[in-house]
PDB file of all heavy atoms in Angstrom:
ATOM      1  N   VAL A 110       0.011  32.766   0.713  1.00 93.00           N
ATOM      2  CA  VAL A 110       1.266  32.084   0.365  1.00 93.00           C
ATOM      3  C   VAL A 110       1.053  30.571   0.303  1.00 93.00           C
ATOM      4  O   VAL A 110       1.553  29.894  -0.615  1.00 93.00           O
ATOM      5  CB  VAL A 110       2.368  32.432   1.387  1.00 93.00           C
ATOM      6  CG1 VAL A 110       3.597  31.554   1.192  1.00 93.00           C
ATOM      7  CG2 VAL A 110       2.747  33.904   1.269  1.00 93.00           C
ATOM      8  N   GLN A 111       0.283  30.034   1.240  1.00 96.00           N
ATOM      9  CA  GLN A 111       0.074  28.594   1.257  1.00 96.00           C
ATOM     10  C   GLN A 111      -0.828  28.139   0.114  1.00 96.00           C
ATOM     11  O   GLN A 111      -0.639  27.046  -0.427  1.00 96.00           O
ATOM     12  CB  GLN A 111      -0.472  28.168   2.624  1.00 96.00           C
ATOM     13  CG  GLN A 111       0.570  28.381   3.716  1.00 96.00           C
ATOM     14  CD  GLN A 111       0.148  27.885   5.078  1.00 96.00           C
ATOM     15  OE1 GLN A 111      -1.001  27.515   5.301  1.00 96.00           O
ATOM     16  NE2 GLN A 111       1.087  27.896   6.020  1.00 96.00           N
ATOM     17  N   GLY A 112      -1.784  28.982  -0.279  1.00 97.00           N
ATOM     18  CA  GLY A 112      -2.582  28.677  -1.461  1.00 97.00           C
ATOM     19  C   GLY A 112      -1.716  28.598  -2.704  1.00 97.00           C
ATOM     20  O   GLY A 112      -1.850  27.675  -3.523  1.00 97.00           O
ATOM     21  N   GLU A 113      -0.803  29.552  -2.839  1.00 97.00           N
ATOM     22  CA  GLU A 113       0.113  29.549  -3.981  1.00 97.00           C
ATOM     23  C   GLU A 113       0.998  28.307  -3.970  1.00 97.00           C
ATOM     24  O   GLU A 113       1.284  27.724  -5.031  1.00 97.00           O
ATOM     25  CB  GLU A 113       0.960  30.821  -3.954  1.00 97.00           C
ATOM     26  CG  GLU A 113       0.148  32.088  -4.216  1.00 97.00           C
ATOM     27  CD  GLU A 113       0.908  33.373  -3.906  1.00 97.00           C
ATOM     28  OE1 GLU A 113       1.922  33.303  -3.157  1.00 97.00           O
ATOM     29  OE2 GLU A 113       0.487  34.437  -4.397  1.00 97.00           O
ATOM     30  N   ALA A 114       1.423  27.888  -2.773  1.00 98.00           N
ATOM     31  CA  ALA A 114       2.258  26.684  -2.663  1.00 98.00           C
ATOM     32  C   ALA A 114       1.468  25.426  -3.020  1.00 98.00           C
ATOM     33  O   ALA A 114       1.985  24.519  -3.696  1.00 98.00           O
ATOM     34  CB  ALA A 114       2.829  26.574  -1.254  1.00 98.00           C
ATOM     35  N   LEU A 115       0.228  25.350  -2.575  1.00 98.00           N
ATOM     36  CA  LEU A 115      -0.622  24.216  -2.941  1.00 98.00           C
ATOM     37  C   LEU A 115      -0.790  24.146  -4.454  1.00 98.00           C
ATOM     38  O   LEU A 115      -0.707  23.072  -5.060  1.00 98.00           O
ATOM     39  CB  LEU A 115      -1.994  24.353  -2.269  1.00 98.00           C
ATOM     40  CG  LEU A 115      -2.064  24.024  -0.785  1.00 98.00           C
ATOM     41  CD1 LEU A 115      -3.307  24.640  -0.153  1.00 98.00           C
ATOM     42  CD2 LEU A 115      -2.053  22.513  -0.566  1.00 98.00           C
ATOM     43  N   ASP A 116      -1.029  25.286  -5.062  1.00 98.00           N
ATOM     44  CA  ASP A 116      -1.235  25.363  -6.498  1.00 98.00           C
ATOM     45  C   ASP A 116      -0.010  24.853  -7.261  1.00 98.00           C
ATOM     46  O   ASP A 116      -0.136  24.171  -8.279  1.00 98.00           O
ATOM     47  CB  ASP A 116      -1.536  26.811  -6.882  1.00 98.00           C
ATOM     48  CG  ASP A 116      -2.068  26.948  -8.286  1.00 98.00           C
ATOM     49  OD1 ASP A 116      -3.161  26.414  -8.560  1.00 98.00           O
ATOM     50  OD2 ASP A 116      -1.391  27.580  -9.126  1.00 98.00           O
ATOM     51  N   LYS A 117       1.152  25.171  -6.738  1.00 98.00           N
ATOM     52  CA  LYS A 117       2.395  24.882  -7.459  1.00 98.00           C
ATOM     53  C   LYS A 117       2.947  23.492  -7.186  1.00 98.00           C
ATOM     54  O   LYS A 117       3.501  22.844  -8.091  1.00 98.00           O
ATOM     55  CB  LYS A 117       3.448  25.929  -7.073  1.00 98.00           C
ATOM     56  CG  LYS A 117       4.713  25.875  -7.908  1.00 98.00           C
ATOM     57  CD  LYS A 117       5.613  27.067  -7.613  1.00 98.00           C
ATOM     58  CE  LYS A 117       6.863  27.071  -8.480  1.00 98.00           C
ATOM     59  NZ  LYS A 117       7.735  28.236  -8.187  1.00 98.00           N
ATOM     60  N   TYR A 118       2.782  22.982  -5.954  1.00 98.00           N
ATOM     61  CA  TYR A 118       3.517  21.776  -5.569  1.00 98.00           C
ATOM     62  C   TYR A 118       2.649  20.567  -5.206  1.00 98.00           C
ATOM     63  O   TYR A 118       3.105  19.430  -5.331  1.00 98.00           O
ATOM     64  CB  TYR A 118       4.419  22.081  -4.365  1.00 98.00           C
ATOM     65  CG  TYR A 118       5.425  23.168  -4.609  1.00 98.00           C
ATOM     66  CD1 TYR A 118       5.332  24.393  -3.943  1.00 98.00           C
ATOM     67  CD2 TYR A 118       6.478  23.003  -5.511  1.00 98.00           C
ATOM     68  CE1 TYR A 118       6.260  25.413  -4.161  1.00 98.00           C
ATOM     69  CE2 TYR A 118       7.411  24.004  -5.740  1.00 98.00           C
ATOM     70  CZ  TYR A 118       7.292  25.213  -5.054  1.00 98.00           C
ATOM     71  OH  TYR A 118       8.213  26.215  -5.278  1.00 98.00           O
ATOM     72  N   ALA A 119       1.423  20.780  -4.732  1.00 98.00           N
ATOM     73  CA  ALA A 119       0.621  19.661  -4.208  1.00 98.00           C
ATOM     74  C   ALA A 119      -0.045  18.873  -5.328  1.00 98.00           C
ATOM     75  O   ALA A 119      -0.169  19.348  -6.464  1.00 98.00           O
ATOM     76  CB  ALA A 119      -0.442  20.196  -3.248  1.00 98.00           C
ATOM     77  N   LYS A 120      -0.484  17.663  -5.013  1.00 97.00           N
ATOM     78  CA  LYS A 120      -1.305  16.901  -5.951  1.00 97.00           C
ATOM     79  C   LYS A 120      -2.617  17.642  -6.183  1.00 97.00           C
ATOM     80  O   LYS A 120      -3.138  18.288  -5.273  1.00 97.00           O
ATOM     81  CB  LYS A 120      -1.595  15.504  -5.381  1.00 97.00           C
ATOM     82  CG  LYS A 120      -0.381  14.593  -5.311  1.00 97.00           C
ATOM     83  CD  LYS A 120      -0.769  13.224  -4.757  1.00 97.00           C
ATOM     84  CE  LYS A 120       0.449  12.301  -4.680  1.00 97.00           C
ATOM     85  NZ  LYS A 120       0.113  10.992  -4.076  1.00 97.00           N
ATOM     86  N   LYS A 121      -3.168  17.524  -7.385  1.00 97.00           N
ATOM     87  CA  LYS A 121      -4.420  18.211  -7.699  1.00 97.00           C
ATOM     88  C   LYS A 121      -5.607  17.618  -6.949  1.00 97.00           C
ATOM     89  O   LYS A 121      -6.664  18.239  -6.840  1.00 97.00           O
ATOM     90  CB  LYS A 121      -4.688  18.183  -9.211  1.00 97.00           C
ATOM     91  CG  LYS A 121      -3.594  18.857 -10.034  1.00 97.00           C
ATOM     92  CD  LYS A 121      -3.273  20.271  -9.537  1.00 97.00           C
ATOM     93  CE  LYS A 121      -2.156  20.915 -10.325  1.00 97.00           C
ATOM     94  NZ  LYS A 121      -1.707  22.201  -9.744  1.00 97.00           N
ATOM     95  N   SER A 122      -5.420  16.448  -6.398  1.00 97.00           N
ATOM     96  CA  SER A 122      -6.482  15.795  -5.614  1.00 97.00           C
ATOM     97  C   SER A 122      -6.379  16.091  -4.124  1.00 97.00           C
ATOM     98  O   SER A 122      -7.183  15.580  -3.337  1.00 97.00           O
ATOM     99  CB  SER A 122      -6.409  14.281  -5.826  1.00 97.00           C
ATOM    100  OG  SER A 122      -5.127  13.783  -5.437  1.00 97.00           O
ATOM    101  N   VAL A 123      -5.426  16.916  -3.714  1.00 98.00           N
ATOM    102  CA  VAL A 123      -5.169  17.137  -2.289  1.00 98.00           C
ATOM    103  C   VAL A 123      -6.421  17.638  -1.568  1.00 98.00           C
ATOM    104  O   VAL A 123      -7.191  18.444  -2.094  1.00 98.00           O
ATOM    105  CB  VAL A 123      -4.009  18.148  -2.108  1.00 98.00           C
ATOM    106  CG1 VAL A 123      -4.374  19.524  -2.659  1.00 98.00           C
ATOM    107  CG2 VAL A 123      -3.586  18.246  -0.654  1.00 98.00           C
ATOM    108  N   LYS A 124      -6.635  17.130  -0.362  1.00 98.00           N
ATOM    109  CA  LYS A 124      -7.719  17.586   0.494  1.00 98.00           C
ATOM    110  C   LYS A 124      -7.126  18.544   1.525  1.00 98.00           C
ATOM    111  O   LYS A 124      -6.213  18.176   2.269  1.00 98.00           O
ATOM    112  CB  LYS A 124      -8.396  16.415   1.207  1.00 98.00           C
ATOM    113  CG  LYS A 124      -8.969  15.366   0.258  1.00 98.00           C
ATOM    114  CD  LYS A 124     -10.005  15.940  -0.681  1.00 98.00           C
ATOM    115  CE  LYS A 124     -10.578  14.881  -1.608  1.00 98.00           C
ATOM    116  NZ  LYS A 124     -11.465  15.464  -2.632  1.00 98.00           N
ATOM    117  N   VAL A 125      -7.647  19.756   1.551  1.00 98.00           N
ATOM    118  CA  VAL A 125      -7.070  20.820   2.370  1.00 98.00           C
ATOM    119  C   VAL A 125      -8.047  21.216   3.471  1.00 98.00           C
ATOM    120  O   VAL A 125      -9.172  21.652   3.190  1.00 98.00           O
ATOM    121  CB  VAL A 125      -6.733  22.055   1.510  1.00 98.00           C
ATOM    122  CG1 VAL A 125      -6.092  23.134   2.367  1.00 98.00           C
ATOM    123  CG2 VAL A 125      -5.835  21.677   0.342  1.00 98.00           C
ATOM    124  N   LEU A 126      -7.627  21.062   4.713  1.00 98.00           N
ATOM    125  CA  LEU A 126      -8.416  21.496   5.865  1.00 98.00           C
ATOM    126  C   LEU A 126      -7.738  22.683   6.518  1.00 98.00           C
ATOM    127  O   LEU A 126      -6.586  22.575   6.968  1.00 98.00           O
ATOM    128  CB  LEU A 126      -8.555  20.351   6.881  1.00 98.00           C
ATOM    129  CG  LEU A 126      -9.133  20.747   8.250  1.00 98.00           C
ATOM    130  CD1 LEU A 126     -10.503  21.388   8.112  1.00 98.00           C
ATOM    131  CD2 LEU A 126      -9.193  19.527   9.174  1.00 98.00           C
ATOM    132  N   VAL A 127      -8.433  23.803   6.582  1.00 98.00           N
ATOM    133  CA  VAL A 127      -7.901  24.990   7.238  1.00 98.00           C
ATOM    134  C   VAL A 127      -8.382  25.010   8.685  1.00 98.00           C
ATOM    135  O   VAL A 127      -9.589  25.028   8.958  1.00 98.00           O
ATOM    136  CB  VAL A 127      -8.332  26.273   6.505  1.00 98.00           C
ATOM    137  CG1 VAL A 127      -7.851  27.504   7.271  1.00 98.00           C
ATOM    138  CG2 VAL A 127      -7.770  26.282   5.088  1.00 98.00           C
ATOM    139  N   VAL A 128      -7.420  24.997   9.595  1.00 96.00           N
ATOM    140  CA  VAL A 128      -7.692  25.040  11.031  1.00 96.00           C
ATOM    141  C   VAL A 128      -7.374  26.427  11.590  1.00 96.00           C
ATOM    142  O   VAL A 128      -8.079  26.933  12.461  1.00 96.00           O
ATOM    143  CB  VAL A 128      -6.874  23.957  11.773  1.00 96.00           C
ATOM    144  CG1 VAL A 128      -7.094  24.028  13.277  1.00 96.00           C
ATOM    145  CG2 VAL A 128      -7.216  22.565  11.237  1.00 96.00           C
ATOM    146  N   GLY A 129      -6.306  27.048  11.093  1.00 90.00           N
ATOM    147  CA  GLY A 129      -5.873  28.357  11.592  1.00 90.00           C
ATOM    148  C   GLY A 129      -6.933  29.422  11.375  1.00 90.00           C
ATOM    149  O   GLY A 129      -7.528  29.527  10.299  1.00 90.00           O
ATOM    150  N   ASN A 130      -7.184  30.218  12.393  1.00 86.00           N
ATOM    151  CA  ASN A 130      -8.265  31.215  12.356  1.00 86.00           C
ATOM    152  C   ASN A 130      -7.826  32.552  11.770  1.00 86.00           C
ATOM    153  O   ASN A 130      -6.653  32.905  11.861  1.00 86.00           O
ATOM    154  CB  ASN A 130      -8.805  31.420  13.774  1.00 86.00           C
ATOM    155  CG  ASN A 130      -9.698  30.270  14.195  1.00 86.00           C
ATOM    156  OD1 ASN A 130     -10.505  29.791  13.419  1.00 86.00           O
ATOM    157  ND2 ASN A 130      -9.532  29.836  15.428  1.00 86.00           N
ATOM    158  N   PRO A 131      -8.778  33.303  11.175  1.00 90.00           N
ATOM    159  CA  PRO A 131     -10.195  32.983  10.973  1.00 90.00           C
ATOM    160  C   PRO A 131     -10.359  31.934   9.870  1.00 90.00           C
ATOM    161  O   PRO A 131     -10.128  32.222   8.695  1.00 90.00           O
ATOM    162  CB  PRO A 131     -10.836  34.317  10.595  1.00 90.00           C
ATOM    163  CG  PRO A 131      -9.714  35.114  10.013  1.00 90.00           C
ATOM    164  CD  PRO A 131      -8.454  34.687  10.703  1.00 90.00           C
ATOM    165  N   ALA A 132     -10.736  30.720  10.248  1.00 94.00           N
ATOM    166  CA  ALA A 132     -10.612  29.550   9.374  1.00 94.00           C
ATOM    167  C   ALA A 132     -11.412  29.678   8.085  1.00 94.00           C
ATOM    168  O   ALA A 132     -10.919  29.333   7.009  1.00 94.00           O
ATOM    169  CB  ALA A 132     -11.019  28.289  10.138  1.00 94.00           C
ATOM    170  N   ASN A 133     -12.677  30.138   8.171  1.00 96.00           N
ATOM    171  CA  ASN A 133     -13.499  30.213   6.964  1.00 96.00           C
ATOM    172  C   ASN A 133     -12.876  31.136   5.929  1.00 96.00           C
ATOM    173  O   ASN A 133     -12.760  30.785   4.743  1.00 96.00           O
ATOM    174  CB  ASN A 133     -14.904  30.723   7.309  1.00 96.00           C
ATOM    175  CG  ASN A 133     -15.691  29.784   8.178  1.00 96.00           C
ATOM    176  OD1 ASN A 133     -15.255  29.437   9.271  1.00 96.00           O
ATOM    177  ND2 ASN A 133     -16.870  29.399   7.731  1.00 96.00           N
ATOM    178  N   THR A 134     -12.488  32.308   6.361  1.00 94.00           N
ATOM    179  CA  THR A 134     -11.945  33.293   5.429  1.00 94.00           C
ATOM    180  C   THR A 134     -10.548  32.903   4.969  1.00 94.00           C
ATOM    181  O   THR A 134     -10.182  33.127   3.811  1.00 94.00           O
ATOM    182  CB  THR A 134     -11.966  34.687   6.072  1.00 94.00           C
ATOM    183  OG1 THR A 134     -13.336  35.008   6.368  1.00 94.00           O
ATOM    184  CG2 THR A 134     -11.397  35.738   5.152  1.00 94.00           C
ATOM    185  N   ASN A 135      -9.762  32.295   5.838  1.00 94.00           N
ATOM    186  CA  ASN A 135      -8.456  31.783   5.417  1.00 94.00           C
ATOM    187  C   ASN A 135      -8.616  30.712   4.333  1.00 94.00           C
ATOM    188  O   ASN A 135      -7.828  30.649   3.385  1.00 94.00           O
ATOM    189  CB  ASN A 135      -7.692  31.208   6.609  1.00 94.00           C
ATOM    190  CG  ASN A 135      -7.142  32.275   7.526  1.00 94.00           C
ATOM    191  OD1 ASN A 135      -6.995  33.428   7.139  1.00 94.00           O
ATOM    192  ND2 ASN A 135      -6.835  31.905   8.761  1.00 94.00           N
ATOM    193  N   ALA A 136      -9.641  29.866   4.473  1.00 97.00           N
ATOM    194  CA  ALA A 136      -9.892  28.838   3.462  1.00 97.00           C
ATOM    195  C   ALA A 136     -10.305  29.473   2.138  1.00 97.00           C
ATOM    196  O   ALA A 136      -9.896  29.018   1.059  1.00 97.00           O
ATOM    197  CB  ALA A 136     -10.971  27.870   3.941  1.00 97.00           C
ATOM    198  N   PHE A 137     -11.117  30.522   2.210  1.00 96.00           N
ATOM    199  CA  PHE A 137     -11.514  31.247   1.002  1.00 96.00           C
ATOM    200  C   PHE A 137     -10.295  31.810   0.277  1.00 96.00           C
ATOM    201  O   PHE A 137     -10.149  31.655  -0.937  1.00 96.00           O
ATOM    202  CB  PHE A 137     -12.481  32.375   1.380  1.00 96.00           C
ATOM    203  CG  PHE A 137     -12.738  33.358   0.270  1.00 96.00           C
ATOM    204  CD1 PHE A 137     -13.655  33.077  -0.720  1.00 96.00           C
ATOM    205  CD2 PHE A 137     -12.045  34.556   0.215  1.00 96.00           C
ATOM    206  CE1 PHE A 137     -13.877  33.978  -1.769  1.00 96.00           C
ATOM    207  CE2 PHE A 137     -12.258  35.465  -0.818  1.00 96.00           C
ATOM    208  CZ  PHE A 137     -13.178  35.174  -1.812  1.00 96.00           C
TER     209      PHE A 137
END
Side-chain angles (χ1 to χ4, degrees):
V110 170
Q111 293 184 351
E113 292 168 341
L115 284 161
D116 193 63
K117 189 171 182 180
Y118 301 112
K120 291 181 180 177
K121 300 308 178 188
S122 58
V123 64
K124 302 301 181 187
V125 182
L126 169 58
V127 176
V128 177
N130 284 318
N133 294 58
T134 299
N135 286 340
F137 168 82

